[in-house]
Amino acid sequence: CPTAADLNPSNGTRLCAQLYTEDSAYYNECCSGSSLAVLPDSDVPYMTYKWAGKISSLVVGTRCELTVWSRAGKEGNSKKFSA
């Protein structure tokens, strides 16, 4: 997985998080599959069908916090992640 400080794409845009569809108990196989970039100040109350319930690993950038909910529309239980 990239480190929190490494979440800077080649074009210089800062990312707050990177979400991945696949994970593994083996470190060198973590953070694989499809990935979704989360920009600063993003607010996404509904995930598309492709991503809903599919995220298995994530990296959160420095000075960022990612809040996820168990149900669509920011309903249900929430969990906060940070670097």
Side-chain angles (χ1 to χ4, degrees):
C1 294
T3 66
D6 288 339
L7 291 183
N8 291 317
S10 59
N11 68 2
T13 302
R14 182 172 174 266
L15 294 178
C16 269
Q18 189 84 22
L19 313 176
Y20 300 91
T21 57
E22 296 182 22
D23 192 14
S24 173
Y26 300 104
Y27 184 76
N28 62 338
E29 296 176 13
C30 288
C31 300
S32 60
S34 299
S35 64
L36 177 66
V38 180
L39 297 173
D41 300 318
S42 294
D43 185 12
V44 183
Y46 297 92
M47 296 296 286
T48 64
Y49 177 75
K50 177 183 175 183
W51 287 98
K54 307 285 188 216
I55 298 165
S56 63
S57 57
L58 57 89
V59 177
V60 178
T62 55
R63 295 180 284 129
C64 285
E65 184 175 80
L66 177 71
T67 304
V68 297
W69 286 265
S70 60
R71 296 178 49 210
K74 298 182 182 179
E75 297 290 329
N77 299 320
S78 66
K79 171 103 175 138
K80 293 184 180 193
F81 296 92
S82 62

